[in-house]
Amino acid sequence: MAGFWRSYQALMAKRPWTVQIVTAGSLVGVGDVISQQLIEQRGLTNHSVKRTAKMMSIGFCFVGPVVGGWYKLLDRLVTGGTKRAALKKMLIDQVCFAPCFLAAFLGISGTLNGLTGEENVAKLKREVFEVGVAQQITPLPATELPHHVGDWGSIPGLGDCAALQSINDYMDALISNYYLWPAVQIANFYFIPLHHRLAVVQVVAVVWNSYLSWKANKV
């Protein structure tokens, strides 16, 4: 283990950006494997390799570059290594970055799962239901939608709609984010050097990635 860590440190020193992205993508993939095997209990024979590959591609192309770049920008916006600076970084990260990141993550996941832009908006916002996901649903204007989500099943064809089953995906993920990440990020910003922050976050995020993978792929 010590030898692996030394090799990782050496690679990080030579190619920090590449190593951070590869680490992020790999750990997003690990999160999806955990999601399928432990949360969904699919078993090895029913494991979706295609889904794991899609989640890893999001890790490589989106999570790694975006989060790594964000940490660099945040270090420029808030300088210093004091507790006060770490608290400021955590607040900016959680108030400004986390909501946008989660929306983008779920949107990209939805797109890779075949949802259109409109269906992604419906999946995230749920304010106007204008698309059919599980069935062909007659579009209804917002004024004709029932006021309570629990009554939406009365709309013809909506009872089996996959989007309705995950109506609170975004808010659920955001609230769950606030249970976990503020404390992690304060410690990360205060104790961890910039070039290791993405790796530390992604190690902690193996559990979080499992949750996000389940949330993003829930039908």
Side-chain angles (χ1 to χ4, degrees):
M1 190 67 181
F4 172 80
W5 178 247
R6 283 194 296 270
S7 299
Y8 182 84
Q9 291 274 61
L11 283 172
M12 180 69 79
K14 291 180 181 179
R15 300 180 180 274
W17 187 245
T18 301
V19 172
Q20 289 181 71
I21 291 174
V22 171
T23 300
S26 300
L27 291 175
V28 170
V30 170
D32 182 69
V33 172
I34 293 173
S35 174
Q36 292 195 50
Q37 295 304 316
L38 297 184
I39 299 177
E40 301 165 44
Q41 297 183 342
R42 287 171 169 245
L44 294 178
T45 55
N46 293 318
H47 185 91
S48 173
V49 176
K50 182 178 178 181
R51 176 178 135 181
T52 299
K54 284 193 292 188
M55 297 305 295
M56 288 183 71
S57 71
I58 296 174
F60 290 132
C61 301
F62 174 70
V63 176
V66 170
V67 177
W70 167 246
Y71 286 160
K72 288 183 179 180
L73 176 61
L74 196 55
D75 245 34
R76 294 174 184 170
L77 292 175
V78 182
T79 58
T82 64
K83 293 178 182 178
R84 185 182 182 87
L87 180 60
K88 286 182 179 179
K89 289 177 182 177
M90 182 277 291
L91 290 173
I92 295 172
D93 179 71
Q94 293 300 301
V95 173
C96 300
F97 179 74
C100 299
F101 175 81
L102 281 172
F105 182 93
L106 292 174
I108 292 170
S109 299
T111 300
L112 291 179
N113 285 332
L115 297 182
T116 65
E118 290 80 7
E119 288 168 337
N120 264 321
V121 170
K123 192 174 191 295
L124 292 171
K125 291 185 176 180
R126 311 301 182 197
E127 292 176 353
V128 180
F129 229 95
E130 294 183 341
V131 294
V133 180
Q135 298 182 14
Q136 292 295 322
I137 301 170
T138 302
L140 292 176
T143 54
E144 294 184 25
L145 289 175
H147 293 292
H148 300 290
V149 170
D151 296 328
W152 285 17
S154 62
I155 300 175
L158 203 56
D160 295 326
C161 181
L164 181 60
Q165 294 173 9
S166 56
I167 192 166
N168 290 318
D169 279 357
Y170 175 68
M171 290 307 300
D172 284 350
L174 188 60
I175 291 169
S176 299
N177 170 86
Y178 289 136
Y179 280 121
L180 173 65
W181 287 108
V184 172
Q185 291 292 52
I186 286 179
N188 196 30
F189 292 134
Y190 186 64
F191 293 109
I192 307 300
L194 174 62
H195 59 284
H196 285 308
R197 284 178 191 160
L198 179 59
V200 169
V201 162
Q202 289 305 314
V203 169
V204 176
V206 168
V207 175
W208 175 246
N209 290 338
S210 303
Y211 168 79
L212 272 188
S213 180
W214 168 74
K215 181 67 70 175
N217 291 281
K218 189 174 67 172
V219 294

